[in-house]
Amino acid sequence: MSAGRASEGAGSVSLWGFSPSLNLLTTGRKQNAEKANILLVGSGDPRHILKTIAELPDKHNLHVWVIENNMEVMARQMLMLYLALMPHDNMGLREKTEVFLEIFGNSEVRSHTAETLRHAASRLIVSVTETMEEATHPCLDTSLLKFKERDELVRIFKQWTQPEYSVSGHPTPIVMSKAWDYRVRQHLGTRYDSRMGCFDWDLIMKLHEKGGRLIHKHQYTQWRAGGVAFELREGVYQTLNPTFLSSRVFSQKMSKVAVTGYWGDIVSSPYLSFGIETDDKSLLKTQNGHHIKTAQDVSVANVQTLFLSLYNRQGSPTTPDEEKQVPSTHNDPKCVSVNDLLHLDGISVTFLPMDALRKMPQKEKYSSLFNVIFFSVGCIQQLDPALRQIAAPDAVLVMELAKFILDLNKEQESGFTTKVKDIAQEYGFEPLQEETTNDVFAIFTPQR
């Protein structure tokens, strides 16, 4: 009998990153110029975008360019940004944070959250279909995508608007609990019957040792067993989160078959993005050797702080006051068009075609453009010598390492780091001299 396939734990679709959020403009020798361009390759979620905006000086401009290797992930990135930019008159800070984290890290959500998701998806359909040469919102710019990619985004958003997600031609709705359990069984193999012990081992001997001690045993075990990471309110978490589903092609009887299911991470957890680091030291207090706050608490606090920074980035900044907000039928989230979202002073986000990285060096507009280029752990193979052509002279190349890919042993993790450094140097980048010991990111600059 098989003991399972360890490589399947991280999944093939990155719905979140394998590293904490990072202000990408503080990774180099000095703060970048007043106008910065950042290229994200396979980041999986908007954590770095939000963190960089939060710490951006008031009069500085930032243009983020996003490449993903999966259209479902691109659609999810757009959805998360839509929610982050929701005006506080339509959705209060606390509710926005809860809805954002539920959709971000839960395979199943509350019915209220599912309704908000459907309304957001319907607005994003309008935005994508109306965008031709000019974006309807500078932070949700799809104008450079190919027509077939825009059509695919519309198809995905339409699927999300359905009360029950089902695959075309198959009227039976997908049951998320079964899709999740299939992955767990596939991953653990003969260890499935002792899965609770496996979950404990991964948490205590791996995540905690790697710096994830804020991740609480109960919350992590619950997520590993069923995919619900954030239970932020009393309620029933039983409505499928369609953003967790995507298609994967398998070989079957000499032919290719596309199967819809959950193909993301089932081991490392969504707590990594916002829940294991914080600047608020009060959240790190311990009692009898144990953290008082959990990764869920820290995620809520961090996301709220990031959202507050978005309010303050408006042309006429106003801080939301939860006590003074009065529900109104005119301020329903479903009434918010993409153009009515928060407009951030000097900030824009452009989504690029999936093959853009290969074609960028051939286009003059991208020549020496990017001050920071970020590669996720799953996209390192896309590094190319031509990257030097699109990197600014003082550019920083940030590469996510495999520290939080839990199925790798220490030798494999170290080997991955060595491989990353070798490839970067072969392609004309050198390690940043001032770089301190960092086993989460490797940072490089163009060779002089």
Side-chain angles (χ1 to χ4, degrees), residues 44 67 88 93 97 119 124 187 215 246 258 297 358 361 367 386 429:
I67 299 175
H88 67 263
L93 182 61
T97 301
H119 291 317
L124 287 168
H187 177 241
I215 302 176
S246 57
D297 299 322
R358 179 170 52 86
S367 178
F429 292 85

Side-chain angles (χ1 to χ4, degrees), residues 68 70-78 145 153 351-352:
E68 293 291 350
N70 180 288
M71 292 305 296
E72 281 95 347
V73 174
M74 184 182 292
R76 206 174 116 96
Q77 280 249 42
M78 293 180 65
L145 294 180
L153 280 177
F351 292 87
L352 295 170

Side-chain angles (χ1 to χ4, degrees), residues 142-204:
T142 57
S143 62
L144 297 182
L145 294 180
K146 299 174 182 177
F147 285 110
K148 65 178 181 180
E149 290 172 327
R150 291 190 214 172
D151 290 344
E152 181 64 7
L153 280 177
V154 170
R155 183 196 67 79
I156 294 166
F157 290 138
K158 282 183 177 179
Q159 200 116 45
W160 291 356
T161 63
Q162 298 175 7
E164 293 185 326
Y165 189 109
S166 59
V167 184
S168 300
H170 299 274
T172 305
I174 291 175
V175 179
M176 190 68 216
S177 59
K178 291 183 178 179
W180 188 275
D181 188 64
Y182 170 80
R183 286 291 316 289
V184 176
R185 287 178 180 273
Q186 180 193 46
H187 177 241
L188 294 180
T190 55
R191 298 179 296 155
Y192 179 80
D193 290 339
S194 57
R195 57 192 177 279
M196 292 303 171
C198 294
F199 299 163
D200 284 351
W201 177 269
D202 285 341
L203 176 65
I204 297 169

Side-chain angles (χ1 to χ4, degrees), residues 158-319:
K158 282 183 177 179
Q159 200 116 45
W160 291 356
T161 63
Q162 298 175 7
E164 293 185 326
Y165 189 109
S166 59
V167 184
S168 300
H170 299 274
T172 305
I174 291 175
V175 179
M176 190 68 216
S177 59
K178 291 183 178 179
W180 188 275
D181 188 64
Y182 170 80
R183 286 291 316 289
V184 176
R185 287 178 180 273
Q186 180 193 46
H187 177 241
L188 294 180
T190 55
R191 298 179 296 155
Y192 179 80
D193 290 339
S194 57
R195 57 192 177 279
M196 292 303 171
C198 294
F199 299 163
D200 284 351
W201 177 269
D202 285 341
L203 176 65
I204 297 169
M205 301 305 295
K206 295 181 180 179
L207 272 174
H208 282 183
E209 291 300 311
K210 291 174 181 288
R213 293 184 181 274
L214 283 163
I215 302 176
H216 191 274
K217 176 180 176 179
H218 171 72
Q219 292 171 349
Y220 179 75
T221 301
Q222 176 176 272
W223 174 76
R224 283 292 298 269
V228 176
F230 299 102
E231 281 197 358
L232 302 167
R233 285 203 185 197
E234 292 292 329
V236 180
Y237 290 78
Q238 291 183 347
T239 305
L240 179 145
N241 179 357
T243 74
F244 267 46
L245 299 177
S246 57
S247 295
R248 184 177 176 184
V249 178
F250 290 88
S251 296
Q252 190 177 81
K253 296 181 180 180
M254 306 297 289
S255 61
K256 302 288 186 180
V257 178
V259 179
T260 298
Y262 176 71
W263 309 115
D265 167 42
I266 57 168
V267 174
S268 297
S269 87
Y271 299 120
L272 297 177
S273 292
F274 302 106
I276 66 171
E277 290 185 357
T278 177
D279 296 328
D280 185 351
K281 302 307 178 186
S282 68
L283 297 172
L284 301 176
K285 290 182 179 178
T286 59
Q287 191 172 50
N288 298 323
H290 297 283
H291 283 279
I292 298 173
K293 299 295 184 180
T294 68
Q296 174 173 291
D297 299 322
V298 173
S299 295
V300 170
N302 281 342
V303 170
Q304 282 190 343
T305 298
L306 295 174
F307 287 169
L308 278 171
S309 74
L310 300 186
Y311 292 127
N312 294 330
R313 190 76 196 183
Q314 299 176 82
S316 301
T318 55
T319 302

